[in-house]
């Protein structure tokens, strides 16, 4: 049996009932086969893949807090410190009722390669809790965040592990988490990113993932002789990534006609109005039915179905496995030419394979959504030098990073004879840097 197959079997046997983690490992290891085969004896002896697929540390903790009725609630907290070969652990925190160890491990595993691809010195980690911020008062969210940090603080630090936001964790939550960290440790340090602009945050971090996705997509299309301008784009999600992807795509002359939330989706033939979307989601924290109320021409559909929209480019920006094989087939038959992932692993393996083998372009999240964490690393740099850069400085660094990242992914795919396969290119380019650092640092 090949080394890759052995390790895949091992991962499945040792991590039972963790389907998302298995899926992420399978996608990466399958596309690394040509590289692994080149170095098989070496990697085997050093158990490189076993070490790569086993987190350095997994922290599971109790998060008790008191709700507005005086009732004590208990949630499960997680921080998986996956790999620190190239820098301190870096990755977001997700607060969503679906959070479990499988989801945090898949996200932490993906983060290793994504962070490597940014070219910046950050290792891979991820955390979160099965806490649902929806419908909670600000005081309840604060109480939860404070309790979460009362355990997390001992495991993180500006040179140890630097969490940030993800689903359900935005500026409000980062503020409460930061305040509690500072109170417990007495340290005013760059321990979290995505901070507010008055206390160490970076301009353009809020926009970075969505903007970076569009910069990446534009560069990929350009490399294939296609202009993003005037293209019709379908986007899912209505949160941080989706909102700023819509904003940037529209600025670049694309026509974005959809967004979704966890209850339904909007088709707006006039193009999604970003100001209305921000008001509904960022200010009112309401449902997309409110968007429809403000934009009578828009159509609101309850439930799923966004990928039935006729579009040239699809950008899934909500959550994992939201674009399945049937969706990929529908997109293809409607003439879609590219799927660019904004979320982490929003496309199932079967859908990805269909897309790639039916002449559509596909960019994996670990490459196309890397602008968020890259800008987090720029926030860390600004914190270290105790300076703040302008919006334009950060945005132009972000653009350079995304363009460079695309070229790196593209040339890795070409080098291994898989031109245009950006999944292989991203996994190979991300892996080689981490593998080299792991080998250099010995068996640790
Ligand atoms: P947000 O919480 O800001 O927004 C998430 C959006 O997706 C919301 O509109 C939410 O609906 C919807 N959503 C979440 N879970 C589900 C679900 N299970 N089913 C259907 N819809 C769902 O998160 P982000 O925008 O930050 O994150 C979106 C994706 O991007 C995630 O995969 C995340 O891991 C990834 N990502 C985020 C980065 C960042 O910098 N924030 C960086 C790189 C990747 P509702 O409005 O109803 O809550
Ligand atoms: O998935 C991701 O890359 C993020 N949620 C952002 C992580 C970060 O540290 O900015």
């Amino acid at each position: 049996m090949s080394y890759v197959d052995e390790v895949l079997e091992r991962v499945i046997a040792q991590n039972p009932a963790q389907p998302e983690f298995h899926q992420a490992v399978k996608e990466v290891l399958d596309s690394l086969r040509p590289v692994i085969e080149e170095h098989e004896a070496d990697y085997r002896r050093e158990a490189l893949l076993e070490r790569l697929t086993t987190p350095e540390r997994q922290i599971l903790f109790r998060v008790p807090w008191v709700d507005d009725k005086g009732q004590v609630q208990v949630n499960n907290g997680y921080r998986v410190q996956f790999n620190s070969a190239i820098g301190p652990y870096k990755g977001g925190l997700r607060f969503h009722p679906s959070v479990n160890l499988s989801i945090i491990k898949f996200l932490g595993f993906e983060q290793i390669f994504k962070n490597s691809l940014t070219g910046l010195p950050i290792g891979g980690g991820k955390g979160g809790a099965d806490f649902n911020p929806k419908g909670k008062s600000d005081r309840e969210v604060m109480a939860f965040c404070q309790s979460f940090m009362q355990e997390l603080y001992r495991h993180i630090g500006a040179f140890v592990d630097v969490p940030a936001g993800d689903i359900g964790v935005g500026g409000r939550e980062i503020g409460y988490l930061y305040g509690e960290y500072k109170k417990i440790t007495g340290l005013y340090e760059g321990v979290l990113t995505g901070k507010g602009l008055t206390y160490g945050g970076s301009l353009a971090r809020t926009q970075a993932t969505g903007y970076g996705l569009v910069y990446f997509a534009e560069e990929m299309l350009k490399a294939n002789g296609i202009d993003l301008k005037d293209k019709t784009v379908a986007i899912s999600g209505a949160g941080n990534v989706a909102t700023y992807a819509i904003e940037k795509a529209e600025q670049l002359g694309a026509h974005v006609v959809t967004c979704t939330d966890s209850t339904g989706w909007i088709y707006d033939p006039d193009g999604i109005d970003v100001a209305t979307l921000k008001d509904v989601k960022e200010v009112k924290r309401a449902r997309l039915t409110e968007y429809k109320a403000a934009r009578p021409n828009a159509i609101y559909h309850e439930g799923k179905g966004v990928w039935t929209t006729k579009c040239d480019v699809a950008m899934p920006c909500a959550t994992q496995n939201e674009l399945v094989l049937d969706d990929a087939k529908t997109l293809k038959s409607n003439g879609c030419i590219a799927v660019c992932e904004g979320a982490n692993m929003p496309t199932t393996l079967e859908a990805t394979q269909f897309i790639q083998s039916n002449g559509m372009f596909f960019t994996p999240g670990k490459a196309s959504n890397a602008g968020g964490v890259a800008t987090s690393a720029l926030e860390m740099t600004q914190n270290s030098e105790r300076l703040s850069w302008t919006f334009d400085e950060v945005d132009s660094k972000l653009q350079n990073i995304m363009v460079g990242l695309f070229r790196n992914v593209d040339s890795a795919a070409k080098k291994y004879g898989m031109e245009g396969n950006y999944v292989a290119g991203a996994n190979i380019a991300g892996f080689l840097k981490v593998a080299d650092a792991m080998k250099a640092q010995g068996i640790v």
Side-chain angles (χ1 to χ4, degrees):
M1 195 189 284
S2 76
Y3 182 36
V4 163
D5 288 320
E6 264 176 43
V7 174
L8 278 174
E9 269 197 9
R10 180 182 192 273
V11 166
I12 291 166
Q14 294 201 342
N15 303 272
Q18 297 188 356
E20 294 87 359
F21 180 50
H22 301 167
Q23 181 182 341
V25 172
K26 184 166 166 41
E27 189 232 75
V28 170
L29 294 194
D30 267 341
S31 65
L32 289 179
R33 282 177 198 275
V35 183
I36 306 296
E37 276 158 20
E38 247 178 27
H39 305 275
E40 178 145 349
D42 246 24
Y43 286 170
R44 237 184 221 281
R45 191 179 57 252
E46 296 186 6
L48 191 101
L49 294 184
E50 289 86 337
R51 286 191 286 141
L52 187 71
T53 52
T54 306
E56 289 176 16
R57 193 170 299 101
Q58 306 181 54
I59 302 144
L60 276 64
F61 52 101
R62 181 177 75 190
V63 190
W65 56 282
V66 184
D67 72 16
D68 283 347
K69 298 193 186 87
Q71 174 65 47
V72 175
Q73 303 285 347
V74 182
N75 287 100
N76 298 301
Y78 304 84
R79 186 72 185 167
V80 172
Q81 299 178 328
F82 223 117
N83 191 299
S84 62
I86 65 170
Y89 309 105
K90 182 85 196 83
L93 297 171
R94 178 177 292 190
F95 292 170
H96 192 271
S98 64
V99 162
N100 57 37
L101 191 55
S102 174
I103 288 177
I104 299 299
K105 281 167 70 177
F106 116 63
L107 290 163
F109 186 71
E110 289 283 284
Q111 202 82 45
I112 303 169
F113 307 97
K114 182 194 306 193
N115 293 2
S116 167
L117 286 170
T118 66
L120 301 166
I122 39 179
K126 198 85 187 190
D130 57 359
F131 170 73
N132 187 359
K134 276 217 183 70
K136 303 288 190 299
S137 68
D138 282 353
R139 194 214 57 84
E140 288 176 319
V141 171
M142 180 174 73
F144 177 81
C145 289
Q146 290 177 341
S147 179
F148 187 84
M149 188 52 82
Q150 279 158 23
E151 175 57 37
L152 189 68
Y153 84 93
R154 69 187 85 242
H155 308 290
I156 62 176
F159 295 93
V160 180
D161 183 351
V162 182
D166 193 82
I167 292 177
V169 178
R172 174 182 62 171
E173 290 74 19
I174 294 292
Y176 293 145
L177 290 163
Y178 189 74
E180 185 67 12
Y181 179 85
K182 183 163 62 71
K183 172 154 182 152
I184 298 169
T185 63
L187 295 172
Y188 207 104
E189 61 169 5
V191 67
L192 293 158
T193 59
K195 298 186 292 298
L197 298 177
T198 51
Y199 62 93
S202 173
L203 284 160
R205 174 62 188 91
T206 304
Q207 293 82 355
T209 311
Y211 279 23
L213 164 65
V214 175
Y215 294 146
F216 188 94
E218 189 190 31
E219 191 62 24
M220 183 278 290
L221 290 171
K222 198 165 79 185
N224 289 286
I226 300 164
D227 199 344
L228 178 64
K229 190 165 178 291
D230 296 328
K231 294 287 178 295
T232 299
V233 180
I235 289 187
S236 65
N240 175 263
V241 180
T243 300
Y244 293 95
I246 296 169
E247 185 169 282
K248 183 51 70 179
E250 291 183 344
Q251 282 171 11
L252 296 180
H255 188 55
V256 185
V257 290
T258 65
C259 61
T260 75
D261 69 9
S262 48
T263 50
W265 60 284
I266 288 284
Y267 174 77
D268 190 336
D270 303 330
I272 296 294
D273 185 64
V274 175
T276 304
L277 182 63
K278 286 182 184 173
D279 184 53
V280 171
K281 284 292 169 184
E282 291 180 0
V283 181
K284 297 187 179 131
R285 296 180 189 275
R287 293 184 45 191
L288 282 177
T289 42
E290 297 290 313
Y291 179 97
K292 157 77 194 158
R295 301 265 298 173
N297 268 354
I299 301 166
Y300 175 78
H301 301 266
E302 194 75 18
K304 292 182 191 289
V306 67
W307 308 124
T308 59
T309 306
K310 188 169 165 43
C311 63
D312 302 304
V313 178
M315 296 187 180
C317 297
T319 193
Q320 65 274 358
N321 293 330
E322 54 162 317
L323 197 162
V324 302
L325 181 57
D326 279 347
D327 299 322
K329 289 181 177 167
T330 309
L331 284 167
K332 174 71 191 168
S333 64
N334 279 335
C336 177
I337 55 172
V339 176
C340 301
E341 292 188 327
N344 286 309
M345 208 170 77
T347 315
T348 62
L349 286 176
E350 297 72 26
T352 304
Q353 276 151 14
F354 178 88
I355 291 163
Q356 290 188 310
S357 53
N358 282 276
M360 298 161 81
F361 301 110
F362 179 82
T363 71
K366 64 168 75 69
S368 41
N369 74 29
V373 75
T375 307
S376 278
L378 300 180
E379 181 173 329
M380 291 164 71
T381 306
Q382 292 168 78
N383 292 163
S384 294
E385 62 177 22
R386 300 186 186 287
L387 288 173
S388 300
W389 304 337
T390 64
F391 187 96
D392 287 347
E393 273 177 286
V394 181
D395 188 37
S396 87
K397 284 187 189 354
L398 169 64
Q399 282 185 56
N400 286 337
I401 289 169
M402 297 316 289
V403 168
L405 203 158
F406 171 72
R407 298 209 175 122
N408 188 12
V409 165
D410 190 39
S411 58
K414 284 179 179 149
K415 183 170 171 207
Y416 283 88
M418 292 181 278
E419 181 163 357
N421 183 343
Y422 304 125
V423 172
N427 288 332
I428 291 170
F431 167 79
L432 286 173
K433 179 178 178 187
V434 175
D436 188 66
M438 286 174 73
K439 283 173 70 66
Q441 291 171 35
I443 307 307
V444 291

